[in-house]
Amino acid sequence: MLITHDTRCALDTVVDLVNTAPESDTTPDGLPDVAALRVFVREHQVSEVGALTEVDLAAVRRIRARFAAVFAAPDARGAAGLINELIAAAGTTPRLTDHDGYDWHVHYFAPGASVADHLAADCGMALAFFVVAGEQERLRRCEAPDCRHAFVDLSRNRSRRYCDSRTCGNRLHVAAYRARRKEAEAAG
């Protein structure tokens, strides 16, 4: 599957956005205030965003929950329905642009759109490309028992199971190895 630069950026943004949600009642929200939203927008180079307010923060949190539902969708039809709702509500207006040193690419958000509509349009379209390509199953949640982070499996054989193989995957492999050794020692 060919993934353009802007689609990859949108995928990284939507994954990071979904992963800002608290995983339980005891974990903090990754977007606790407008200042954190400003940092998120700056770090993800979300273009054409004006002054941010509490209204923007609330709207971004709402679409974050909608995107989380896309990653939890059991099938392509369910994911497509959710993505269609996000994109339609954002009022997409596809247009070609070349800015900030990037070659021609497509923006899907309408000029002057709110940050939430901007994210819904651009990130929604990036996820839509996966559904269209028959690759919805690549939109996953980490299989580590204590982690539910979202990620996009871009491995060749669609075999990635953990959000980060160096943390979640490695931690589980080490735990399984230690359990096997302990079992072998008890048997021997």
Side-chain angles (χ1 to χ4, degrees):
M1 176 175 185
L2 175 66
I3 301 174
T4 63
H5 172 76
D6 51 317
T7 299
R8 180 60 195 253
C9 289
L11 289 172
D12 291 344
T13 300
V14 72
V15 164
D16 289 348
L17 178 62
V18 168
N19 290 338
T20 65
E23 291 187 29
S24 70
D25 293 338
T26 60
T27 57
D29 192 311
L31 290 176
D33 53 33
V34 174
L37 179 58
R38 263 189 226 102
V39 169
F40 183 88
V41 165
R42 184 177 61 248
E43 288 179 351
H44 290 86
Q45 299 177 348
V46 181
S47 60
E48 300 180 39
V49 174
L52 297 170
T53 66
E54 290 290 332
V55 172
D56 292 309
L57 178 62
V60 168
R61 286 178 176 164
R62 280 191 300 276
I63 66 151
R64 175 180 69 184
R66 308 283 304 276
F67 279 129
V70 172
F71 279 85
D75 56 29
R77 184 165 305 284
L82 294 164
I83 293 167
N84 282 340
E85 289 172 12
L86 276 161
I87 293 170
T92 58
T93 307
R95 60 193 163 97
L96 287 168
T97 184
D98 65 339
H99 62 87
D100 298 329
Y102 294 106
D103 204 358
W104 290 106
H105 58 283
V106 180
H107 280 185
Y108 295 96
F109 61 94
S114 70
V115 67
D117 285 346
H118 178 142
L119 293 170
D122 278 0
C123 296
M125 288 303 299
L127 296 175
F129 295 140
F130 274 77
V131 174
V132 167
E135 302 285 353
Q136 180 263 337
E137 75 276 358
R138 289 182 182 269
L139 309 177
R140 297 191 174 161
R141 290 289 191 156
C142 184
E143 291 183 18
D146 58 341
C147 180
R148 296 300 302 148
H149 278 156
F151 68 94
V152 178
D153 179 3
L154 297 176
S155 67
R156 266 188 184 188
N157 60 359
R158 299 175 187 88
S159 63
R160 189 169 158 202
R161 297 174 47 208
Y162 306 109
C163 62
D164 185 349
S165 59
R166 281 178 269 152
T167 53
C168 289
N170 192 41
R171 194 168 29 86
L172 289 175
H173 289 124
V174 168
Y177 170 76
R178 288 182 179 154
R180 284 191 306 272
R181 281 198 61 186
K182 188 175 182 180
E183 199 173 285
E185 288 172 5

